[in-house]
Amino acid sequence: ALFKLWVIWSEVSACRARQWARRNLAPSGIRLPDLGRVKKVAGAMEGGTAETKNMEVVMSRILNAVKNGIQKRVVTRPQFKSVTDPRDARGVRHSHSSILSAAFVGMLCMLDSTRHLEEFIRRRGSSMRRFGIVKTISDSTMNDVVAQTDWIELREVLHEGVRIEHRRKALEPTSELPIRMVSTDGKCDRVLHEQANEFCQAHHPKKKPPYWLYRGLRAAVVHGPAKVFIDFMPIPAKSNETGSF
């Protein structure tokens, strides 16, 4: 929510930005370093107290902290350029790295579809240039390119990001849990009406159309203030969580 507010902050009035922050930040219970004042800020906005005059300054400082973190972790990420472009070079309008960056920005902004992401980029073209997105990317292009991209190479980008955070000492244990701990759990990510890839497990219920499950093992660091997602491994179609683990 903070990332999305940072993107739109310079494009809307301070009043509208405060209203957006009040709706989206106060109920979310954000627990991030240097952002403990978010609830107090949103509460002051809600009450209309004398502190409201200083809220824009305080929120701007918080967003600058978010901006610095995003600048290090998203804007200046050359890792996407190492991912192989699956398309033919003829007729390419958007670079492969810009499409992956757009998908990444859409995830951070909590957009639930590529159609919403296309509209988001169209409305905020100037803000998207900082991520290497110079023009609107259609939802069909986004779907096709991301689906064809090698997931193993994308997984390596995730691993490199985790290693960078580890070197920054951003994954250190807290005083409440002074040991290192990683949680691994199996999840069913999608229920499909066709076999999208080799990992989809087929199910044929009686008197009902068949369906396929796309499952995977997720790993997250749980000993820090933020529960950082560090890896994902698809579960083979002929196996289960226990066998994959």
Side-chain angles (χ1 to χ4, degrees), residues 20-234:
W20 192 94
R22 184 173 65 245
R23 291 195 307 269
N24 293 274
L25 299 185
S28 61
I30 294 173
R31 294 290 186 272
L32 292 174
D34 198 36
L35 298 179
R37 293 173 295 175
V38 170
K39 279 192 172 183
K40 180 180 178 182
V41 171
M45 293 177 184
E46 180 71 30
T49 64
E51 295 183 19
T52 304
K53 296 180 180 179
N54 299 325
M55 289 305 100
E56 185 174 350
V57 176
V58 175
M59 187 62 74
S60 296
R61 292 176 181 174
I62 294 175
L63 292 175
N64 281 333
V66 176
K67 176 183 177 180
N68 293 334
I70 295 298
Q71 185 73 30
K72 295 177 181 177
R73 294 166 172 83
V74 182
V75 180
T76 58
R77 287 180 66 85
Q79 290 90 340
F80 282 137
K81 295 182 180 179
S82 64
V83 180
T84 304
D85 190 343
R87 302 170 295 173
D88 191 303
R90 296 172 296 180
V92 171
R93 298 180 56 193
H94 308 279
S95 69
H96 190 228
S97 60
S98 67
I99 295 176
L100 295 180
S101 296
F104 195 52
V105 168
M107 293 174 63
L108 288 175
C109 291
M110 302 175 292
L111 302 178
D112 55 4
S113 70
T114 52
R115 183 170 298 177
H116 291 162
L117 176 56
E118 177 185 358
E119 183 64 23
F120 186 81
I121 296 174
R122 179 180 293 111
R123 290 182 178 181
R124 298 175 174 85
S126 58
S127 299
M128 294 296 101
R129 291 191 179 93
R130 72 188 77 180
F131 304 105
I133 307 167
V134 296
K135 51 188 175 181
T136 304
I137 304 173
S138 68
D139 60 331
S140 58
T141 299
M142 190 85 63
N143 288 329
D144 293 341
V145 174
V146 173
Q148 296 173 28
T149 301
D150 188 348
W151 68 273
I152 296 179
E153 294 186 6
L154 284 177
R155 192 179 177 197
E156 286 297 324
V157 174
L158 171 62
H159 292 173
E160 180 59 27
V162 173
R163 286 192 288 267
I164 292 174
E165 295 304 312
H166 177 66
R167 290 193 289 269
R168 288 194 180 111
K169 300 186 182 300
L171 305 179
E172 293 299 305
T174 61
S175 57
E176 291 81 5
L177 189 63
I179 60 175
R180 299 179 185 276
M181 184 179 297
V182 173
S183 173
T184 305
D185 189 21
K187 296 291 185 182
C188 179
D189 280 2
R190 292 289 184 273
V191 179
L192 306 170
H193 298 293
E194 59 181 0
Q195 185 177 9
N197 54 52
E198 58 182 312
F199 297 102
C200 294
Q201 185 182 67
H203 290 260
H204 300 275
K206 293 182 179 180
K207 299 182 180 180
K208 292 183 179 180
Y211 62 91
W212 285 260
L213 300 180
Y214 181 68
R215 306 156 303 150
L217 290 175
R218 296 181 179 182
V221 172
V222 296
H223 58 245
K227 307 303 181 283
V228 180
F229 178 85
I230 62 174
D231 201 6
F232 175 85
M233 185 184 76

